[in-house]
Amino acid sequence: MNNKIESPSAKAWKRLKKNKSAMLGIYFIVACVFIAVFAYYLAPDSSTNCDEQILQLETHSPGFSINILKVKRDKKLKYENGISKYYHQLIDGNESAYELVPFTNYKMKGTNILVEEYLGKNFKSKERKIALVDVVYARSPDTDSIKYQNDKAIFTDNNGKQISADISSLQKEVKENNIYKKTYYLGTDKFGRDILSRMILGVRVSLSVGIVSVFISLIIGLFLGACAGYFGGWVDSLIMWFITVFWSIPTFLLAMGLSLSLTSEFVTKLTGIDFGDSFKFILIFIAVGLTMWVDMARMVRGQFISIKEKEYVEAAQSLGYSSFRTMLKHILPNIMGPVIVILAADFASAILIESALSYLGLGIQAPKPSWGQMLSEYRDFLNTNKAYLTLIPGFAIMCMVLAFNLIGNGLRDALDVRDN
């Protein structure tokens, strides 16, 4: 006979697993986390901010396919090999090493490749001649011209190295490595960028804002709520006055105010740290986090008031344990269930607030992709046959918010022992 006694957390997990909608939300969020971490490896466009623009391909429909010729750019890459290259790609994508030329047809002609360059839906293709050497190698304009001798091309690349290459080998390399067919599964935007890639990178923005802002609200809410509930008296009155003031201000308006009032110069003077181009991104974390702590503080205060009268808390106090130890070791572990439920709801709220701020132009700025910023950028297409430009990021926001709400509801039911 198995007399093993399950812990409360194990029982809660067992109950949670029976909730299909909550588990669906968990699977969705886990998939989103994986996509966010490896976004640049999963996105078809792995350039920084997924910002590879091919203007000829603007606003093409989902499923559109086109032939692409990769022409080597005259650019020395900062990260070409080694661990730093893979780390840089994981965090910030790849430097674009090629000019992408869309074409409908091509043919090899001696030392050149002739392509019928695609110029757009309403324009006729135009023939373009490119030297095979310039397709495969990066050559600076001020280098010597190409010399052809005995079916060989002799030239100097942008590193100053003299190279001799067979024409037949160049033709083969171009066919195998520089020509491919690209499909835009979610279409392209008005700058000819791949929407699927920008949606994938947008997952990282939404989740990172959620994680950091919820962490900020958790720290503030736990500290103020615990102090108010445990100490009571004037401490409780002061903190409750502070909470009431914040409670009276609409969350979104408060986030807007913080976003507009906190400037890069002010934060640099206050902290002595120059955040540079990352300031707006960090500001969203702060603005959203500072607007969501009120719910957490009110809940924690109520839980502390209820639990501090329990016998085990009085026993800890009688043993001479400090207030900090009593709150941290004896009360806090017993209120983590409601805290986790509030956190799930705050994740959903953070994503909505960030999307709304970005939609109004106060959040994440182009070219960094954010679902809210994409909604704002494509809103003029909503009443056209290009409505998918708006519907795709809107549907993604809806799915992520729904997933967190499903998880929150599932956790609430699983941790409510009165119903089980």
Side-chain angles (χ1 to χ4, degrees):
M1 183 175 178
N2 188 4
N3 294 322
K4 184 179 179 181
I5 300 176
E6 291 183 321
S7 66
S9 58
K11 292 179 180 178
W13 172 242
K14 184 178 291 186
R15 291 191 292 267
L16 182 63
K17 287 194 294 184
K18 295 178 181 179
N19 190 324
K20 294 182 179 179
S21 59
M23 293 306 298
L24 179 63
I26 291 174
Y27 294 145
F28 181 82
I29 297 302
V30 169
C32 286
V33 170
F34 178 82
I35 291 171
V37 173
F38 298 101
Y40 282 113
Y41 285 99
L42 298 173
D45 175 13
S46 60
S47 63
T48 301
N49 294 323
C50 298
D51 195 40
E52 185 72 66
Q53 301 181 15
I54 308 177
L55 297 180
Q56 304 98 304
L57 303 183
E58 51 90 20
T59 59
H60 281 62
S61 301
F64 170 75
S65 296
I66 189 72
N67 297 313
I68 298 291
L69 172 68
K70 298 193 304 182
V71 180
K72 191 80 169 181
R73 284 176 172 160
D74 173 31
K75 183 177 182 180
K76 295 181 180 180
L77 301 181
K78 186 176 181 181
Y79 302 98
E80 293 193 24
N81 47 50
I83 296 177
S84 59
K85 172 189 175 183
Y86 298 104
Y87 176 77
H88 184 267
Q89 181 176 354
L90 181 70
I91 302 301
D92 205 29
N94 283 325
E95 297 178 87
S96 183
Y98 295 93
E99 173 193 357
L100 302 184
V101 180
F103 68 92
T104 57
N105 201 1
Y106 81 96
K107 62 180 178 180
M108 297 291 182
K109 189 174 181 180
T111 59
N112 301 306
I113 179 172
L114 303 179
V115 296
E116 294 291 332
E117 186 175 5
Y118 180 77
L119 300 179
K121 292 176 287 188
N122 301 319
F123 299 92
K124 187 178 179 180
S125 298
K126 182 180 179 180
E127 186 176 84
R128 178 177 174 183
K129 181 172 71 172
I130 308 173
L132 294 172
V133 166
D134 290 332
V135 175
V136 178
Y137 296 92
R139 292 195 321 117
S140 178
D142 57 357
T143 57
D144 297 335
S145 59
I146 308 169
K147 296 179 181 179
Y148 297 101
Q149 199 173 66
N150 299 327
D151 292 329
K152 289 183 179 293
I154 303 172
F155 58 94
T156 303
D157 65 8
N158 64 352
N159 292 316
K161 182 180 178 182
Q162 191 172 51
I163 297 176
S164 176
D166 292 327
I167 301 300
S168 58
S169 299
L170 287 173
Q171 291 179 346
K172 182 179 179 182
E173 184 169 354
V174 169
K175 289 179 180 178
E176 292 180 353
N177 301 324
N178 293 73
I179 293 177
Y180 66 98
K181 190 171 186 177
K182 185 171 184 178
T183 300
Y184 293 88
Y185 295 101
L186 294 183
T188 59
D189 66 6
K190 59 185 178 182
F191 298 109
R193 297 175 297 196
D194 182 25
I195 293 177
L196 175 59
S197 299
R198 294 180 67 77
M199 287 295 299
I200 288 174
L201 191 56
V203 177
R204 176 180 291 187
V205 173
S206 293
L207 283 181
S208 59
V209 168
I211 291 171
V212 178
S213 59
V214 165
F215 178 76
I216 293 173
S217 70
L218 174 66
I219 297 300
I220 297 174
L222 279 180
F223 176 76
L224 293 181
C227 290
Y230 185 81
F231 294 108
W234 68 268
V235 175
D236 184 28
S237 299
L238 178 63
I239 293 176
M240 281 307 298
W241 175 85
F242 192 55
I243 289 175
T244 303
V245 170
F246 266 80
W247 187 267
S248 65
I249 305 173
T251 300
F252 182 66
L253 290 181
L254 181 59
M256 282 184 61
L258 289 171
S259 180
L260 289 170
S261 60
L262 292 176
T263 63
S264 178
E265 293 77 12
F266 173 76
V267 174
T268 299
K269 288 181 180 179
L270 186 66
T271 63
I273 303 173
D274 184 7
F275 293 101
D277 295 336
S278 301
F279 173 75
K280 200 67 178 180
F281 198 53
I282 296 171
L283 177 59
I284 297 300
F285 295 157
I286 299 172
V288 176
L290 290 178
T291 59
M292 297 193 308
W293 62 269
V294 175
D295 286 335
M296 180 67 69
R298 286 168 61 93
M299 185 278 298
V300 171
R301 172 183 175 272
Q303 291 290 322
F304 264 71
I305 290 175
S306 173
I307 292 180
K308 74 176 182 179
E309 304 298 334
K310 300 289 185 181
E311 291 81 359
Y312 62 85
V313 176
E314 294 178 353
Q317 293 170 338
S318 65
L319 289 172
Y321 293 155
S322 66
S323 298
F324 177 77
R325 176 172 177 174
T326 302
M327 289 191 291
L328 187 65
K329 293 289 185 69
H330 300 280
I331 301 180
L332 188 59
N334 289 286
I335 68 167
M336 287 311 296
V339 167
I340 293 172
V341 173
I342 292 289
L343 286 179
D346 282 351
F347 256 103
S349 298
I351 292 167
L352 284 175
I353 294 172
E354 181 278 322
S355 298
L357 288 174
S358 296
Y359 180 82
L360 295 176
L362 301 175
I364 306 302
Q365 301 296 306
K368 187 179 291 293
S370 158
W371 290 345
Q373 183 259 338
M374 292 172 73
L375 272 176
S376 176
E377 188 175 346
Y378 309 144
R379 60 186 170 188
D380 294 336
F381 293 92
L382 187 58
N383 294 323
T384 69
N385 60 352
K386 304 293 183 184
Y388 61 87
L389 291 169
T390 305
L391 296 177
I392 290 172
F395 181 73
I397 294 170
M398 182 197 76
C399 287
M400 185 167 287
V401 171
L402 177 61
F404 277 113
N405 284 330
L406 290 175
I407 294 172
N409 292 338
L411 287 171
R412 180 196 62 203
D413 296 339
L415 294 170
D416 189 357
V417 295
R418 292 173 299 179
D419 296 337
N420 297 279

